[in-house]
Amino acid sequence: MTPTLLPSRLSFPGARPQTLRRVLAAALLPLALAACNGGGDDDDERDDDPPAVVVPPPAEETPPAEETPPRNTAYLETKAGDVVQVRIEELRPTQAAIGYDQIYYKLGRWQGDFDRPTWAADPVLQLDYLNRTVGKKFDDYCEDMGGTERAQEFQSIAEARAARLDQPDSFACKDAPGTHAENLKTVVVGWDGNLYLTDGHHTFSSLREIFDGGPKLPVWVKVDANYSGLSSAAAFWQRMVDERRTWLRDGQNQPITVDQLPARLGLASDQEAGGMQEDRYRSLVYFTRDIAYSNGSLPEFAEFLWGDWLRREAAAGQLPALDQYLTAAPAATAQILAPSTLGKDLSPAGSDDSYAAAVRDASLKMGALADGDIVYDDRDAASLGRIALVPDAAGGSPTKKARDTLEELPRHDVKADNTPRGAGKLWFAVNYRRCGKPAAGTCWGW
């Protein structure tokens, strides 16, 4: 059977099959040669061929170099032991929190009321009161600046009114600032040349908050180390951590990074960015000073180590937590300041839930430790200044002084004969937190 041939799409009428095949071959040959670059070798390309277009690879973007903050050159050449005058705003914190009640004690005491009616009729008593309050500000400033104390007490009310921290000619220290370097707060020169405060956060925060202080107030500090030769912030902060020159915990005693440290000293405020958090246990430890521990020659951040230990004791049920006591509003001032004492045999007496009771109970726990008992890491009680509280201790002993200090904490500033006296730290702190600056007609009570 002869197969049926499909008709070609290219048809030439009247042509024979052989002739048709030759025509098709001739027609397809140029197309085949074109597909093979004209049938020539690569070296025989025609001169009139268009040049090949070369597309360059995409350029790799170079990431911008990490910006290095400009260095503060003012203190690069200082060395350990040098005493330098600076402004408070130049000091960088190495801890996140402070005890606000310690600051409030200072602010309450340093601002005596010049118009207080209690002794308005007796200028001698009024001046006595002002030397105990306003005068204390200048005594503290002179001591902390390495100049011991004021050259002399105020001789008149007018002199007390005229004295201002930000006017150095208005008062005088017994010795020039910086004379007694052992009294100065300490700094470390950082990798960026800035001054990082390792002791004195409460002192300089108080001076920053007081009306005649502020961020530009001149102060004196002692250089403890110069780490400006370190190559990076990471290396600097690792050195600070290794040498225990920073306390990386927030106000709730939770770990933080160095990036979370505050940018400035002073209380946190809605009116100014930055500022330091409140650590209530740090305040508690401050008020146990001279009751449960002595403040001389302690390692840096010692009060925070005690605060950490007290928190752990509370968590373990060995001590009531601080929020079990009445330390602030809405409790009434009388409840907060209710006396709490220790008998000669160290038995607790007085209020069991006032601020003074919290101090008493914490002090008993701290004082019951043995010298070698560990408080934090490898720091033992002896190295942190513990005072051993001994029952039936004689007059003049550390225990008797501790009991007296506890009893004085909440007392007011008027004796039974209506003359002035030094009030307790808690009395100043609690009233300042509630009432602000001492003034007639406020909740200070006059």
Side-chain angles (χ1 to χ4, degrees):
M1 178 176 177
T2 304
T4 302
L5 297 177
L6 295 175
S8 171
R9 283 179 293 181
L10 294 176
S11 119
F12 295 89
R16 298 192 316 184
Q18 294 85 351
T19 303
L20 181 58
R21 282 195 292 270
R22 284 196 295 271
V23 171
L24 286 172
L28 293 174
L29 179 61
L31 296 175
L33 291 174
C36 297
N37 292 325
D41 295 331
D42 290 341
D43 295 334
D44 295 330
E45 292 180 356
R46 292 171 55 184
D47 292 339
D48 58 352
D49 284 345
V53 177
V54 178
V55 180
E60 294 184 3
E61 292 186 6
T62 304
E66 183 178 348
E67 291 187 9
T68 301
R71 303 187 87 195
N72 181 356
T73 60
Y75 308 108
L76 293 179
E77 301 303 319
T78 60
K79 60 185 182 301
D82 285 352
V83 174
V84 294
Q85 180 184 342
V86 301
R87 301 181 307 277
I88 290 178
E89 65 186 357
E90 295 183 82
L91 303 172
R92 306 292 180 90
T94 57
Q95 65 191 49
I98 51 179
Y100 276 26
D101 284 338
Q102 180 174 341
I103 308 298
Y104 293 152
Y105 155 62
K106 296 286 189 180
L107 297 179
R109 182 166 185 178
W110 287 354
Q111 301 184 87
D113 180 7
F114 285 94
D115 301 316
R116 182 170 176 173
T118 312
W119 301 289
D122 191 330
V124 174
L125 294 181
Q126 187 83 329
L127 182 60
D128 182 14
Y129 159 70
L130 293 173
N131 269 309
R132 294 172 183 273
T133 53
V134 178
K136 175 65 172 171
K137 173 176 63 177
F138 295 95
D139 285 334
D140 288 349
Y141 179 82
C142 288
E143 180 180 359
D144 290 330
M145 299 308 113
T148 58
E149 57 192 8
R150 282 180 296 166
Q152 64 176 9
E153 291 189 342
F154 298 131
Q155 302 301 299
S156 68
I157 294 175
E159 183 184 345
R161 283 185 181 275
R164 290 180 59 97
L165 291 174
D166 55 3
Q167 296 177 7
D169 294 339
S170 67
F171 69 97
C173 299
K174 187 174 182 180
D175 297 313
T179 300
H180 302 276
E182 67 276 9
N183 292 341
L184 294 174
K185 308 307 178 183
T186 53
V187 296
V188 167
V189 183
W191 74 287
D192 52 3
N194 289 315
L195 299 178
Y196 291 84
L197 190 65
T198 54
D199 178 39
H201 292 78
H202 288 78
T203 294
F204 294 126
S205 289
S206 299
L207 291 170
R208 194 184 193 279
E209 296 294 330
I210 197 70
F211 71 95
D212 56 344
K216 298 189 181 300
L217 184 71
V219 294
W220 283 256
V221 292
K222 181 174 66 176
V223 177
D224 209 29
N226 188 330
Y227 296 151
S228 61
L230 296 175
S231 60
S232 67
F236 168 68
W237 284 111
Q238 188 60 57
R239 183 81 172 264
M240 295 287 281
V241 169
D242 292 344
E243 295 181 356
R244 300 175 179 179
R245 297 181 187 269
T246 183
W247 179 252
L248 296 178
R249 300 286 183 94
D250 65 12
Q252 301 300 317
N253 204 42
Q254 296 303 304
I256 62 170
T257 66
V258 296
D259 295 330
Q260 294 172 286
L261 288 170
R264 64 168 179 86
L265 297 168
L267 306 176
S269 168
D270 293 338
Q271 286 73 46
E272 183 182 8
M276 307 188 73
Q277 300 176 31
E278 178 175 14
D279 185 335
R280 295 176 61 227
Y281 274 87
R282 176 59 181 78
S283 292
L284 174 64
V285 172
Y286 173 68
F287 294 121
T288 69
R289 183 180 293 181
D290 299 325
I291 304 171
Y293 78 100
S294 299
N295 193 38
S297 303
L298 296 182
E300 287 156 347
F301 310 108
E303 288 89 350
F304 285 105
L305 306 187
W306 278 119
D308 179 87
W309 182 81
L310 289 172
R311 280 181 162 102
R312 284 184 278 117
E313 288 292 295
Q318 302 301 309
L319 180 73
L322 188 52
D323 60 10
Q324 300 299 305
Y325 298 91
L326 304 175
T327 62
T333 301
Q335 292 176 299
I336 299 170
L337 292 176
S340 238
T341 59
L342 288 172
K344 190 173 181 181
D345 60 354
L346 300 185
S347 58
S351 172
D352 286 326
D353 61 0
S354 66
Y355 207 146
V359 175
R360 178 198 65 195
D361 295 348
S363 296
L364 282 172
K365 292 294 293 185
M366 296 163 69
L369 292 173
D371 281 350
D373 286 343
I374 296 299
V375 175
Y376 185 92
D377 199 7
D378 60 349
R379 303 290 197 191
D380 60 28
S383 71
L384 296 179
R386 178 199 62 105
I387 296 174
L389 298 177
V390 180
D392 302 315
S397 65
T399 298
K400 179 60 168 69
K401 292 178 181 178
R403 291 171 50 218
D404 290 344
T405 301
L406 173 64
E407 186 175 349
E408 293 168 2
L409 279 177
R411 79 178 185 185
H412 58 74
D413 64 350
V414 183
K415 293 181 182 178
D417 62 2
N418 205 44
T419 58
R421 69 177 178 186
K425 293 178 178 179
L426 276 179
W427 185 80
F428 281 114
V430 169
N431 279 293
Y432 187 87
R433 181 186 279 270
R434 182 183 291 267
C435 310
K437 179 181 176 181
T442 68
C443 54
W444 281 88
W446 59 78

